[in-house]
Structure formats: C-alpha cells, structure tokens
Amino acid sequence: MTPGPNTYTHALVRPPGDSFAQAISSTRAKIDPARARRQHAAYCDVLRAAGFQVEALPVSEALPDSCFMQDPALVVAGQAVVCRMGATSRAGEPALVAEWLRARFPTTAIAAPGTLEGGDILLLPDRLLVGESARTNAAGIRQLAAQLAPAGVKVSGTPVTKYLHLLTAVTYVGHNTLLALADYASHPEFSGYEVIVVPPEEAHAADALGTGDHVILPEGHPKTTAALQARGFKVLATPMSEFGAADGGITCLALVW
C-alpha cells in the first residue's frame, strides 16, 4: 500500500479568529489575529497555486488553536481518522471536524487513553511514521495502526523528545526527498532517502508541504529554498510569522489528502 504522499488535491482549512491571540505558545510571543487572518488568506492562495481545492470551515472563537487543522484528523487511503488531542485546551477540536469527515469518508476515531495529533504523522511512500511525543502516545499509535491495517497502511512509531511534533523536525516533500533538521538527518528510519539538511537559522523551513513538484515554505528561508530549487522543486513561499508565534508551521494549517 502506498499512502500517496505529495499527490494531494484537497485542503481543508479554518481561518483564525480573534481568540487566536490566546493560542498555545511556548515562547509566549504576542500574536496579532488580524495579521494572522491576512497570512492565512495568503496561505490559501498559495495552496490554490499548488493545485489544491481549498475548502474553509467557519472560525471557532471558542478554540483558539483550531486554525491548526492538521492536528485533529487524518485522511489517508480513502478513510478518515479523528484524533484525540494531547493538549487539554484543544480537546474540543476533533468534534468540530468529525461530522464533516463522517459525511465524506469511512471514519474511525482514537479513544482514551490514546492521544494522537496530526503534526506527529509523517506520510512516507511506504508507511506512516508517527512520532511518540508529548502530544501523541504509544496507545494512540497502536490504535492508528489497528484502524489502518485493513486498508494495508503500515504504521510505525519513533520517539520525539526535543520537538513539539515530528513534523517540526522533518517533512517528506516528494521525489524521495526529505527536509530535516540536523539531528534527524541521519535517523535510521530515513535510510534510502535523500535528505536536505535545514540549517539551524532556518529551522522553521523543516516543516514544509510538498505537493508533487511544488514545495510550500514559510517566507524568508533562502538557503532551504536554494537547496530545493537545485533539486528541481518549485518553491512557493508564504508569510507565517503569526502562526510561528503559536508554534505552528506550514503543514499545521491544512488537513490535506
């Protein structure tokens, strides 16, 4: 079974509300919701430029982090999995998207004591590699593996101790190529892949969205951009400062399939 990474055609998004100013932030950086909405609109334009059909769900002021649509669900192999969030303040987010998914896909859900957030799920050509992190636990990974096994989707886990999510440190951008921070570049799980090492000063570029020949990056990362272009990728850059202030990256803002 091939999960089909980087053959995405659809993106489900949710714009940030005014409550985004209270989003989780490890740095406690000030967040400007109005600027975040402008950046979100630009992000959606870039998704369309990369060939996505983009659908937006309503703003949720009750859940400040709910613009990060990647975390509460996964769509793979024609089915959906509703996650169970590891961050208590985000516990209500899966319910916001579950009904939408159930109307379109065969759908399962992660149950207690499992936790699973989409930011820990790396789609590789032959399997899903899931980070066991502060947000995703071993029980959640086991449930995901059992739920996807009938479709032939292989799931394996790997520890994540230094970063919020696995995709904070490494993303698969297509054509057998990974973007990774230095401490993940030689990870045994990535043997056989070409790895572009993201320099420390451009760490936010490790969280990128590869869509075939395009790679969507946060703006302001010239070294990573040049490395991707040298390998034939077309780079689309978009402003992400307000989402970075809330510990978010390029992949975080969309549920893609």
Side-chain angles (χ1 to χ4, degrees), residues 156-229:
S156 58
T158 189
V160 175
T161 56
K162 185 177 177 181
Y163 302 101
L164 175 63
H165 287 131
L166 178 61
L167 298 190
T168 307
V170 57
T171 47
Y172 179 75
V173 294
H175 301 289
N176 205 51
T177 303
L178 294 158
L179 285 177
L181 300 179
D183 50 355
Y184 269 77
S186 59
H187 195 293
E189 292 281 358
F190 305 136
S191 175
Y193 290 95
E194 180 176 5
V195 180
I196 298 174
V197 180
V198 176
E201 67 273 19
E202 296 190 0
H204 288 297
D207 186 336
L209 179 57
T211 63
D213 292 332
H214 292 89
V215 178
I216 302 174
L217 284 183
E219 68 178 8
H221 297 85
K223 294 179 181 178
T224 307
T225 295
L228 286 164
Q229 290 173 334

Side-chain angles (χ1 to χ4, degrees), residues 35-108:
R35 183 179 294 120
R37 283 190 286 272
R38 293 193 296 271
Q39 292 183 351
H40 192 273
Y43 173 83
C44 291
D45 286 342
V46 167
L47 288 174
R48 294 185 186 98
F52 281 94
Q53 297 180 41
V54 180
E55 182 170 350
L57 295 180
V59 169
S60 173
E61 294 290 359
L63 293 164
D65 290 274
S66 58
C67 61
F68 294 126
M69 287 292 293
Q70 179 189 47
D71 289 323
L74 166 71
V75 176
V76 64
Q79 65 188 82
V81 178
V82 177
C83 297
R84 183 170 180 268
M85 309 297 280
T88 303
S89 65
R90 300 187 66 186
E93 292 180 33
L96 291 183
V97 72
E99 184 176 352
W100 191 97
L101 291 169
R102 290 187 183 112
R104 292 160 177 81
F105 302 100
T107 302
T108 58

